[in-house]
Amino acid sequence: MTKTDTQWTELTRRWQELADLGGINSLLGWDQSTYLPQAASAGRSRQTALISTIAHQKATDPEYGKLLDTAGKRDDLTPEQARMLGLARKNYDQATRLPTAFVAEWTEHGGNSYSAWTEARPANDFRRMVPILEKTLDYSLQGAGYYPEFATPMDYFIDQSDEGMTQAQVDDVFRQLREALVPLVEQVAQAERPRVDFLERHYPKELQLKFGEGIIRDYGYDFTRGRQDLTHHPFMTRLGGHDVRITTRVKENDPIDALYSTLHESGHALYEQGVAEEYLGTPLGHGVSAGVHESSSRLWENLVGRSRAFWAAYFGDMRDVFPEQLKDVTEEEMHRASNVVARSLIRTDADELTYNLHVITRYELERDLLSGKLAVRDLADAWHAAYQQNLGLRAPSDVDGVLQDVHWFFGQIGGAFHGYTLGNVLNAQFYAAAERANPGLEGDIARKDFSRLRGWLTENVYRHGSRYTPNELLERATGQGLSVEPYLNYLRTKYSDLYGLK
């Protein structure tokens, strides 16, 4: 099949149309999370439901299905075209099982749920969200029920975000991590805590934003194809082939929060901006999975952004921006403060060492909701109990408990969190492979030169988009399958050095 083939031309036209409709819906969602007036939320929910309905109708058009069937029988497909058709066929088969009316109802419910959450969280009113979450759980179970080939509802949702991964595999990875991290966290908790008092001083919002944006320009984030805005819960979104936006949030008494939110989301954006031009607007034109995507964001946030080399490069700049706030602070103190380990209540504020315990807690709660083991009305209490067990903490209210994350309040329960920890595991594997291919990356970072690291990631991960399955991509890039050992070795080495552990 050649790209001038009329059949292929029609397929690519349809794929681009679906991508554009997805971009329009993403634009509506981005606006809802950034600039939408409060009174406009109900109308926005109708708009997103309408676009979703149109997109679903086009994605399930019988003529499109026939076109995929015919193209799939041809013997002149390139490997890229075969993968495109395979993903398109999978998407079509799954989409045709969902009734259009059901998709519209579920989408509208998600918009209404998000709007309710933005009011319920500051009011500490989980009771208001209980009937909404019960409806969300019902929609989620109904949705998964259309795919009986999956052993559990969680298997379906995991496969949607991380192709080929199962609940049993995630459970096993999380078990290995828990066994290794709990004692390591306990060791670090007994060590002397670094100085952090200077982080509580006043850091003006605009200066924080300017400082962070300067760093991600150095990383390679292209502001001609993106922008950064403020929101409740930071995220990255692709609105079009050359429109990849990020958001952050700012606390004027904590410059670390905005900085690492910006670095994290820029890592997602670097992945999307790095996808090969010829894949844009096709089934290959985006990151392949939640875990691989998260590996990029966590790599740039943590392995780069919290490294000693990073602060050697940027502490002087930060002190120039905030001379009074940092006049009595050393580079090493800033490095240690950016890596402080503390059992905390907030996932997005958590350090590398405890972060996965936050994710494991959420994963197990949503798994139990989907299995029927846990009722929505008991979710807040179950949250508090799990935090007490896993982190030895109890939130004073539901604001920092079950209401803190937006994910379940977008309208779906299932597959929301596991990718974060898979990303942590993968980012260590990718970075180790990049270092083997480019010895001396730490020196590059200290010189603000990210070209070799970004170049390796672009060549081996980013440009491929969804060309390969996550497992195939990992094997090609690193020469090995999924393994927790590189990540655990990284954590043990780093925190033993920082905290003087034996």
Side-chain angles (χ1 to χ4, degrees), residues 165-227:
M165 185 67 71
T166 66
Q167 177 181 318
Q169 291 172 303
V170 174
D171 286 348
D172 184 56
V173 169
F174 284 8
R175 176 191 57 77
Q176 294 180 62
L177 288 174
R178 192 201 300 271
E179 290 176 357
L181 292 179
V182 168
L184 184 56
V185 169
E186 182 61 29
Q187 274 189 287
V188 172
Q190 302 304 317
E192 183 179 356
R193 182 182 171 89
R195 179 191 174 199
V196 294
D197 62 289
F198 54 88
L199 296 180
E200 299 173 0
R201 296 167 183 171
H202 180 73
Y203 296 80
K205 178 175 69 174
E206 294 306 320
L207 294 179
Q208 287 195 50
L209 291 171
K210 183 178 179 181
F211 176 63
E213 288 180 2
I215 294 172
I216 62 174
R217 286 181 191 275
D218 291 343
Y219 276 7
Y221 178 67
D222 185 354
F223 276 89
T224 70
R225 296 187 292 153
R227 55 179 289 138

Side-chain angles (χ1 to χ4, degrees), residues 328-341:
D328 62 340
V329 181
T330 67
E331 177 186 310
E332 180 61 19
E333 285 175 325
M334 178 59 78
H335 172 234
R336 287 176 60 81
S338 71
N339 287 288
V340 66
V341 174

Side-chain angles (χ1 to χ4, degrees), residues 97-313:
R97 301 191 201 182
L98 294 176
T100 301
F102 174 73
V103 172
E105 290 175 13
W106 194 359
T107 303
E108 185 170 3
H109 168 73
N112 292 333
S113 175
Y114 173 79
S115 297
W117 172 79
T118 62
E119 298 176 1
R121 188 186 181 210
N124 187 34
D125 189 4
F126 179 65
R127 266 205 266 178
R128 174 180 176 180
M129 298 306 300
V130 168
I132 297 174
L133 267 184
E134 288 176 338
K135 195 172 183 180
T136 295
L137 179 59
D138 184 56
Y139 275 121
S140 301
L141 289 170
Q142 286 186 63
Y146 285 102
Y147 308 96
E149 65 270 28
F150 291 96
T152 68
M154 183 62 93
D155 277 330
Y156 164 71
F157 287 116
I158 289 174
D159 186 75
Q160 291 301 290
S161 58
D162 289 275
E163 181 185 2
M165 185 67 71
T166 66
Q167 177 181 318
Q169 291 172 303
V170 174
D171 286 348
D172 184 56
V173 169
F174 284 8
R175 176 191 57 77
Q176 294 180 62
L177 288 174
R178 192 201 300 271
E179 290 176 357
L181 292 179
V182 168
L184 184 56
V185 169
E186 182 61 29
Q187 274 189 287
V188 172
Q190 302 304 317
E192 183 179 356
R193 182 182 171 89
R195 179 191 174 199
V196 294
D197 62 289
F198 54 88
L199 296 180
E200 299 173 0
R201 296 167 183 171
H202 180 73
Y203 296 80
K205 178 175 69 174
E206 294 306 320
L207 294 179
Q208 287 195 50
L209 291 171
K210 183 178 179 181
F211 176 63
E213 288 180 2
I215 294 172
I216 62 174
R217 286 181 191 275
D218 291 343
Y219 276 7
Y221 178 67
D222 185 354
F223 276 89
T224 70
R225 296 187 292 153
R227 55 179 289 138
Q228 178 171 254
D229 294 273
L230 296 173
T231 190
H232 298 289
H233 188 101
F235 62 93
M236 180 281 305
T237 186
R238 178 189 282 281
L239 308 185
H242 299 99
D243 189 352
V244 180
R245 305 187 188 188
I246 62 175
T247 59
T248 193
R249 63 186 177 197
V250 176
K251 298 176 182 177
E252 293 200 311
N253 63 342
D254 181 6
I256 294 296
D257 188 71
L259 174 62
Y260 287 109
S261 290
T262 293
L263 300 189
H264 180 96
E265 300 307 333
S266 76
H268 283 301
L270 287 171
Y271 189 178
E272 291 296 315
Q273 289 187 339
V275 174
E277 180 78 20
E278 62 266 29
Y279 292 163
L280 300 181
T282 79
L284 308 187
H286 51 76
V288 67
S289 74
V292 175
H293 233 301
E294 199 64 24
S295 76
S296 181
S297 64
R298 302 298 281 186
L299 186 152
W300 289 102
E301 175 193 358
N302 291 329
L303 274 71
V304 174
R306 296 185 194 269
S307 68
R308 184 170 272 109
F310 175 89
W311 284 114

